[in-house]
Amino acid sequence: MKDAVDTAETETETVDVDNTNQAKDDAKARTEAVADAKKRISAAYRKFNAQKDHFDTPKHLASWRDLVTIIESARAQGWPFNALGEMIGLSGEGVRVTSLRYRSHTDDETELPVVDFPVYQRPPRGKSPKPKTAARPVGVISPEEAEALKALGPIAKLAKGSTPLESDIRKKSEAFSKLVMELKDRNIKWADIADATEGSHTVAGLRMRVARHDHGDRWSVPPSIRAYRRVNIHDHPDRVDGKTEAQTTPKGAKATTAK
């Protein structure tokens, strides 16, 4: 009994393998047939197109007839005009008009010979699945980078709009921002960067910081954050002792305009 079962299972496996091989052979044969048909109709169209400047000459009419012969044979096998057009670089309407105009222009009512053309198979509906790409590995913060984040983070928070560009605070703030963006370029998580600052920055704070440096689009940061502008208000020509002339002018008096 066991031998009979084993034999039946072996025969089933053999049939499955044979069916798979046959399906592969059929698919290969069809691919080759379609490729050959495309070559033939493309060659006929090029020949017809080359005779357009010699309209109504025997060569022009012969090339036109050869092309229409292939088109009508393909149509008999179920090929739509648009599919034939893709083979020769025409629209479906262009193929249809080329075929109909031959009949009306030449008054040729004879039955054209049938040439070999594969049966049309409708392509599967829906979009073909996109090939899967390997997930980008998540980066890791080095001990040196973690120390830099811890040291620079609190200082970076001290930088305000009025902080001079050449001040130590401003330089360290920009070094901190640059480091954060370099880490994000290595696909390091926001949470990991925030943790490395040991409390000086939250994830939201980091995201807003890179947005203010005009790089928010690189990591899907809200576009509503105003970009940081490198303008040193301490260098403003109207500043007097750290204030603008408007701030130092007594109430009721008019401020003069620097010229």
Side-chain angles (χ1 to χ4, degrees):
M1 182 67 179
K2 183 177 182 301
D3 292 341
V5 172
D6 291 343
T7 301
E9 290 178 349
T10 301
E11 292 176 349
T12 301
E13 292 174 356
T14 302
V15 170
D16 290 342
V17 172
D18 290 343
N19 290 339
T20 301
N21 291 337
Q22 184 61 48
K24 289 181 179 179
D25 291 341
D26 291 345
K28 181 180 179 181
R30 171 168 177 77
T31 299
E32 292 175 350
V34 171
D36 180 66
K38 181 178 181 179
K39 288 180 181 178
R40 284 188 284 115
I41 193 172
S42 296
Y45 177 68
R46 286 195 300 271
K47 187 177 179 180
F48 161 73
N49 213 31
Q51 296 297 326
K52 279 190 173 182
D53 293 336
H54 308 285
F55 194 75
D56 264 355
T57 62
K59 285 186 177 181
H60 170 256
L61 293 176
S63 64
W64 199 352
R65 178 184 171 89
D66 290 343
L67 176 60
V68 174
T69 296
I70 297 177
I71 292 174
E72 292 190 359
S73 296
R75 292 284 296 161
Q77 295 296 333
W79 284 79
F81 286 119
N82 64 318
L84 294 174
E86 290 177 0
M87 288 183 166
I88 58 178
L90 280 181
S91 64
E93 181 64 11
V95 178
R96 187 183 74 84
V97 170
T98 299
S99 180
L100 293 180
R101 283 188 61 196
Y102 171 76
R103 290 294 195 180
S104 62
H105 180 75
T106 61
D107 294 326
D108 185 356
E109 297 180 357
T110 61
E111 185 174 343
L112 298 179
V114 177
V115 298
D116 186 37
F117 214 90
V119 176
Y120 178 71
Q121 289 184 3
R122 184 183 298 275
R125 292 186 177 183
K127 297 181 179 179
S128 57
K130 294 182 179 179
K132 293 183 178 180
T133 56
R136 187 183 176 194
V138 176
V140 178
I141 301 175
S142 70
E144 294 77 15
E145 290 167 337
E147 284 296 324
L149 290 170
K150 178 182 176 181
L152 294 173
I155 301 174
K157 292 193 70 173
L158 299 176
K160 307 298 180 183
S162 58
T163 305
L165 298 181
E166 298 305 319
S167 70
D168 187 59
I169 290 177
R170 174 68 69 191
K171 291 180 179 179
K172 289 185 177 179
S173 175
E174 294 189 354
F176 177 78
S177 298
K178 181 181 179 182
L179 176 57
V180 170
M181 289 186 280
E182 288 175 353
L183 295 175
K184 282 307 300 175
D185 279 335
R186 284 172 21 212
N187 200 32
I188 294 176
K189 296 179 179 179
W190 287 112
D192 291 345
I193 302 174
D195 290 343
T197 67
E198 296 192 3
S200 68
H201 284 75
T202 63
V203 169
L206 292 171
R207 286 162 60 88
M208 292 175 68
R209 173 173 284 270
V210 300
R212 286 195 297 270
H213 282 72
D214 226 6
H215 293 294
D217 56 325
R218 289 160 65 182
W219 305 291
S220 301
V221 173
S224 58
I225 306 301
R226 175 181 288 183
Y228 162 69
R229 306 297 179 192
R230 290 182 59 85
V231 177
N232 189 353
I233 65 174
H234 290 263
D235 293 335
H236 195 285
D238 294 337
R239 291 192 69 83
V240 178
D241 295 332
K243 296 183 179 180
T244 63
E245 183 178 3
Q247 292 172 319
T248 58
T249 302
K251 290 184 178 180
K254 292 184 178 180
T256 59
T257 302
K259 296 182 179 179

